[in-house]
Amino acid sequence: MSDKKLGVKKLAIKDYDPKFLEKLLYDMLLIRRFEEKAGAMYGLRKIGGFCHLYNGQEAVAIGSIGALDLSRDYVLTGYRDHGHALACGMHPNQIMAELYGKVTGSSKGKGGSMHIFDAEKHMMGGNGIVGAQIPIATGIAFASAYDFKLGKTKDMGVTLCYFGDGAIHQGAFHESLNLARIWNLPAVYIVENNHFGMGTAVSRVSAVSDFDVKAKGYNMPGITVNGMDVLEVYETLKSIVKEVRENGIPWLVDIKTYRYKGHSMSDPAKYRSKDEVDSFKNQDPIVQLKQKMLEAGVLSESGYQKMDDGIKELVQASVTFAEESPEPALESIYQDAYAE
Amino acid sequence: MSDKKLGVKKLAIKDYDPKFLEKLLYDMLLIRRFEEKAGAMYGLRKIGGFCHLYNGQEAVAIGSIGALDLSRDYVLTGYRDHGHALACGMHPNQIMAELYGKVTGSSKGKGGSMHIFDAEKHMMGGNGIVGAQIPIATGIAFASAYDFKLGKTKDMGVTLCYFGDGAIHQGAFHESLNLARIWNLPAVYIVENNHFGMGTAVSRVSAVSDFDVKAKGYNMPGITVNGMDVLEVYETLKSIVKEVRENGIPWLVDIKTYRYKGHSMSDPAKYRSKDEVDSFKNQDPIVQLKQKMLEAGVLSESGYQKMDDGIKELVQASVTFAEESPEPALESIYQDAYAE
Amino acid sequence: MALITYREALNQAMDEEMARDDRVYLMGEEVAEYNGAYKVSKGLLDKYGPIRVIDTPIAELGFTGLGVGSAIVGLRPIIEWMTMNFGILALDQIVNNAAKLRHMSGGQLKCPMVVRGPNGPAEYLSSQHSQALASYFAHIPGLKVVSPITPYDAKGLLKSAIRDDNPVIVLEAEMVYGHTGEVPDEEYLVPIGKADVKRSGSDVSFIAYGKPVLLALQAAAELEKQGISAEVVDLRSVRPIDEAAIYESVRKTNRAVVIDESWPIASIGSHVSHLIATNCFDDLDAPVEYVSCEDVPMPYNHALELAVQPSVEKIVKAAKKVLYL
Amino acid sequence: MALITYREALNQAMDEEMARDDRVYLMGEEVAEYNGAYKVSKGLLDKYGPIRVIDTPIAELGFTGLGVGSAIVGLRPIIEWMTMNFGILALDQIVNNAAKLRHMSGGQLKCPMVVRGPNGPAEYLSSQHSQALASYFAHIPGLKVVSPITPYDAKGLLKSAIRDDNPVIVLEAEMVYGHTGEVPDEEYLVPIGKADVKRSGSDVSFIAYGKPVLLALQAAAELEKQGISAEVVDLRSVRPIDEAAIYESVRKTNRAVVIDESWPIASIGSHVSHLIATNCFDDLDAPVEYVSCEDVPMPYNHALELAVQPSVEKIVKAAKKVLYL
Ligand SMILES: Cc1ncc(C[n+]2csc(CCOP(=O)(O)OP(=O)(O)O)c2C)c(N)n1
Ligand SMILES: Cc1ncc(C[n+]2csc(CCOP(=O)(O)OP(=O)(O)O)c2C)c(N)n1
Ligand SMILES: [Mg+2]
Ligand SMILES: [Mg+2]
């Protein structure tokens, strides 16, 4: 299905409410600074295990989740989940404290980096098994359709399900998309195509280069989106979410993006050239939006500096919060395994 | 990929060697009579458990396996496997004895109806888990490509992997086809589309009606074939197998067929109308070929009768063989679990 | 009291719970229009309609994970696996999500979900279709696992499972769907985690769950003729295990035979034997005897498949062994 | 003798077997160009090329089943699962095909295949990434399962596994990839199914496999200071289990502590405890003590994850319990 058919708006920067643009910029910058800080704290051994950073992919989570109504819509992703958690409105303190394994963390220190949840904000995780969130997201969409069909809701909540270019070859993807389409479950399947699964380039493990072609195999609409442009992501997802909420027909969206850091903190990323990384950094979603806003005169350098300083303070405060938070009690290992 | 591009021959009946046509007719009739007898013996409680008959689908196995060179090519299917076993040249005695659970059966009475194997004839089963044969077949194709790439063979053996319209929604299908295409493994994935998975019509569980559209999602050629016409199946597979043997690019083939009996012996098949069943029986692959041969004057009614009588004797003999064969020894339960 | 089949008991449990709570839905292969491969869901589509009684494609991993997702946002799915053998394809969603989402979210989520279907061998089905997989589920913290073998327990335990806020695996048995038994006319529940003494005796304790309970009862009747009084403890739940009930019986008889149709290594049966040996160390007059499935894949031939499974003969023999007879 | 790491030992085993038999190939996620997520396959791509050292998509069910198919027609795949946790997605191909194809074909087929990867918890990885799943594999007839914990055993057992005509699951441990140990310069094999007494003692037997063997050795050293002599039996293989070696040790010490990092219910550890209790009934001076993983999902917090696992302290405590100290 083409852009045109979908009718995605292509607005000039000045057509947007500056407050809205500022929020997009702020939200992306918050993720960037949070991830930089998480990486730094990992380097200081304050954080351990797998820590998958989102640097470079900010426009994907911010642009798409910005198109949701989280009072009824839902978000699920994999283990690279800090960005989505922040985009859902979780406070940096909760997330940083979770990375520290503290009892004040969003999962009381039991989940860690790969398992950030906020049930109230409809951030449903955070999953460490590649592709495993796809059937779960499909089930949440099923629940939205279930209540709609039973006449309990006027329209359907939409579930955004994020996964990587590596996850699309899992059987869970195939089974879920067929289920979603035969029952018209209001889900949008978003491939965060950052060109690599760990050290493996997409072309080495995929028979196709653009994943939206797979949509046809499920009689589903599909589209490719530039994930370095937060406004393109936002406008496209806004149109899609509107459609899905009305007709329940799920979408497959291939969002091209890039991760600046290694797969996880332990990956030196020798499998790609500095030139390639730079070519993407030159399209940095934050820098791009900032430039456009400066040119349109809706942002000033000093205004940006102020914003950045505020964010850095907020992130630093989350570190302080995490460090000063208590460890969970040892007896807590027997809690949260079962509901009463 | 279209018929034309594939260049499938459309020959008149008289262009075929009568002996060849006679063999196709004989082979299909052998399956038909064998299955009828198996069903009858099941009714007499000589056979138990699940028994999935192939009546109506004969042209699929005979037309496609007829296009193989079983000295280097391989066949795998699901639990509805008697027809493929006969098509691979297994003797009715081995198969009937296996259905009886006798030690003279192809699996010494350990496998039964769903697990017919003949390693020497390259009939690799027979699998009771829907879709599970798809990765295994992909692995056999991998082995053919492996030896070819290592320079041990001049060209590649081709593996035909059969599965049902119900199996295509399993994750195993998705993972296997991607693997086969990225490495160009010489496999032909054949959907035996008999319109139902147990009591479930294809349209109720599939987002698409023709499965060859799924091929595009793996950048693979696909085609739809009339499975009630043994010559169409034969010519199409002959062309495909020739291509695959040369370039290793796997195919997805949707062969439309129909099963006359219930899913298994215990299924009354209330989910479909007599008219629907009759509409397919009117295109019966055996009757069709017989008619064409009679009209072309390459077969006579009496010749057909002689053929049928001979087949009925052969099948009856397999029952006698099975009934007179000994039971396996109780101690044999500890054998064949491990290779020495 | 009404005399109904095990199949009807399961059906009534689903029917009653679907009637009282529209969050409950049933999903699986052939559960709707076909009324279930084993007719357990007979009539539920007609009564509750296609929104709540749903036929799926053959995609165990997909629709089981779908059930998990729907459960963490408030629905109460009953997922039917046509047999437990096919659930191996969906195990990741059970082990890594259903059982762990609550824990990984620090208690934010709950997963009120039932997964049910026949476990263990039927007849003439060979290796892939004849597996007793209870140990796979019992091994996993975060799950509950029950194995009713009478219509009474089937109805009461399935109702409890549907009302439970945790994922509960309900192990049924194809061979007993047609068995009849009495169930009360009024509503009742059977608590998860409570064993039931199906026959009391004084000389030896038979500890079992699922189909082997019926063999144990036959063996006990057999032994009674020979003047031996056997007690039969039906665990009914294998996670959690009612250890107190086991020890109470063994401390009375001082002799135990554990029966499990699973393969022996790393099984529920050997775990129960371990529990008895370590907790009733001074009470045992003989080593615990363990009658399990033989440690081989299930053959198709009927005589062979019977030889592979626990039997009345094997249990009687084991009982005499612990009684030094 | 050369001092090499556990990682190098596994690498040498694959290198030597690939050199001697071109039927052997290595396949898995990141095994080729990345040299393995844990660098176990370092250099093998350069040496054997992309036909025999193959990076896969993230499709465990698919490429594991592919391995099965290639094995039944004569290849000898080494399938690497990045961790055993991810193998749950591929379990159907292991349980229903690799383990059963020979049996279901009446002995016509064989499946010479190795599946290897790290098992059990590492650090700071929470529930899904920290599972000790040995019991799942040991439960299945048709499989062999080994768990080397020293470089010597790792090399010798992996070579035996590659040469075995049956599917063999090789359970490695992420935490020991960097551990060093001596291995002979000349070729050698360690037989599958033979335990090894890693330390001999007279007062109490520690029976373990995998990572807990190292804890048992530390606990034994700790106890020695207190004048207690503990024997440490490393099972090395958990299918088949070397029962004779277990009984020999327990009949000598009359006291046993079983250590397993798996969850307790239906585990290898409780099975071993059951074997000891039933086969050494008259030899035991105290009930077997079982130190297992706590029966909960693994938490992320480091203090908590350590508290959940077996520890030197827990083993020492258990030893004193069986010694009534
Ligand atoms: C089922 C499973 N297999 C393997 C892994 C190990 N693993 C973690 S992330 C990853 C790569 C995933 O790549 P992609 O899907 O592109 O996501 P990205 O990391 O690029 O965001 C792998 C192989 C896993 N966690 N789960
Ligand atoms: C994984 C799995 N799920 C369910 C079943 C039960 N089952 C056996 S055959 C079948 C229907 C398969 O239909 P289809 O693939 O169309 O093959 P057909 O029987 O029509 O030849 C089902 C659901 C199974 N054997 N394996
Ligand atoms: Mg990626
Ligand atoms: Mg079908």
Side-chain angles (χ1 to χ4, degrees), chain A residues 164-166 192-198 259:
Chain A
D165 45 276
E192 282 198 62
N193 188 341
N194 60 12
H195 302 76
F196 287 89
M198 277 192 164
R259 73 169 145 73

Side-chain angles (χ1 to χ4, degrees), chain B residues 164-166 192 194-197:
Chain B
D165 45 277
E192 282 199 61
N194 60 13
H195 301 78
F196 287 89

